[in-house]
Amino acid sequence: MIESLYATPIYYSIVKNKEEIQSSISNCIDNINFSMKEEWGSTLYLSNTTFNDNIIEILGLNLLSEEIDRHLSAYCSELEFNMPEYTMTSWFTLSKKGNYSHIHHHAPADISGVYYYKTTEKDGSLFFESPNPHLDATRCYGKKYGESWRHPPIEGKILLFPGWLKHGVETNETDSERISLSFNVKYK
C-alpha cells in the first residue's frame, strides 16, 4: 500500500458563467492602466503593482466575485475546512512576448488563485515547484515527484492553490497577449 503524505492540493475548474464573466471583463479591460513593477525588470505588466487593492471590487465584477466564492467553497470543502469570512486582493496581469513571472509565493495568503481571461493556451503555462526541495536528490522520487508541475492556461479556467506554494509563469514566446486575473484570499 502507498500513502501519499504531505500532498499539495491544487484545485481547478472551468467557471460556470464563462461567457458572462468574459463579457464583463471585456467591458472594462481597455480602461486598465497596466505597468511593470520597476524592481522586477521586464517580467510582466500589472494592473496594480502594490497588490493591496481588489480590482474585482473596484471594477464591479460581481459575477466573477461570486464564482470565485463558489470555487473557494468547493476547494475548502475538499480540504474539510469550514470556510470563514475572508478578505481578498486581486489584480490583472498582462503578458506580452518575452514576459514571464519569476518564481515566487503569496504567503501569508491562505489561498491564491488565477482566472484566465485571454490566452492562446501556448503563451506560457503556470508552473509549481515541489514544496520538498530534497525529492530530486534521489533517483526513485526525483523524476515523478521532484520536478516542476505545469498547468496550461485555458480561457475561463480558475485555479486555486496554497498561498505558500512557489510558482511562476513560463515566458510568453508567442505574439499574442495573455491576460489573467490573480487573487489572494486571507481568512479572518
Side-chain angles (χ1 to χ4, degrees):
M1 174 194 274
I2 297 280
E3 283 192 54
S4 294
L5 296 177
Y6 312 118
T8 305
I10 307 294
Y11 172 98
Y12 65 93
S13 180
I14 299 296
V15 296
K16 184 171 64 175
N17 301 310
K18 177 185 169 190
E19 299 306 320
E20 294 146 296
I21 290 171
Q22 294 290 95
S23 177
S24 66
I25 294 172
S26 293
N27 289 337
C28 59
I29 199 74
D30 290 337
N31 297 324
I32 295 174
N33 183 22
F34 286 97
S35 61
M36 290 192 174
K37 192 167 178 76
E38 192 173 312
E39 57 268 30
W40 289 357
S42 299
T43 55
L44 51 85
Y45 297 86
L46 303 161
S47 64
N48 179 339
T49 59
T50 66
F51 308 107
N52 293 327
D53 295 328
N54 185 348
I55 194 76
I56 295 170
E57 187 176 285
I58 291 168
L59 297 177
L61 299 171
N62 298 329
L63 193 56
L64 178 58
S65 180
E66 291 168 10
E67 194 67 5
I68 289 171
D69 190 65
R70 187 174 74 79
H71 288 279
L72 281 170
S73 181
Y75 184 40
C76 287
S77 177
E78 288 293 323
L79 297 173
E80 298 179 359
F81 175 70
N82 292 326
M83 189 172 84
E85 290 184 38
Y86 61 88
T87 59
M88 183 167 54
T89 57
S90 63
W91 59 95
F92 280 101
T93 61
L94 168 64
S95 178
K96 298 179 181 182
K97 187 172 188 168
N99 293 150
Y100 65 96
S101 177
H102 62 279
I103 296 171
H104 63 286
H105 61 80
H106 294 225
D110 291 304
I111 296 175
S112 293
V114 62
Y115 172 78
Y116 293 103
Y117 165 67
K118 179 182 175 187
T119 178
T120 65
E121 300 181 19
K122 294 178 175 47
D123 44 19
S125 291
L126 175 69
F127 65 89
F128 296 103
E129 284 196 337
S130 170
N132 184 341
H134 308 293
L135 286 173
D136 61 359
T138 65
R139 295 175 111 191
C140 57
Y141 301 110
K143 181 80 173 149
K144 182 174 181 181
Y145 300 106
E147 295 181 347
S148 295
W149 184 73
R150 283 162 172 61
H151 212 286
I154 297 171
E155 285 184 10
K157 180 166 65 174
I158 187 171
L159 192 126
L160 305 172
F161 53 94
W164 51 259
L165 186 60
K166 287 190 174 185
H167 60 283
V169 179
E170 297 170 329
T171 301
N172 182 351
E173 297 178 356
T174 72
D175 292 323
S176 300
E177 295 180 344
R178 183 186 63 249
I179 300 176
S180 58
L181 178 115
S182 298
F183 53 93
N184 285 330
V185 170
K186 183 78 175 142
Y187 289 112
K188 295 180 180 182

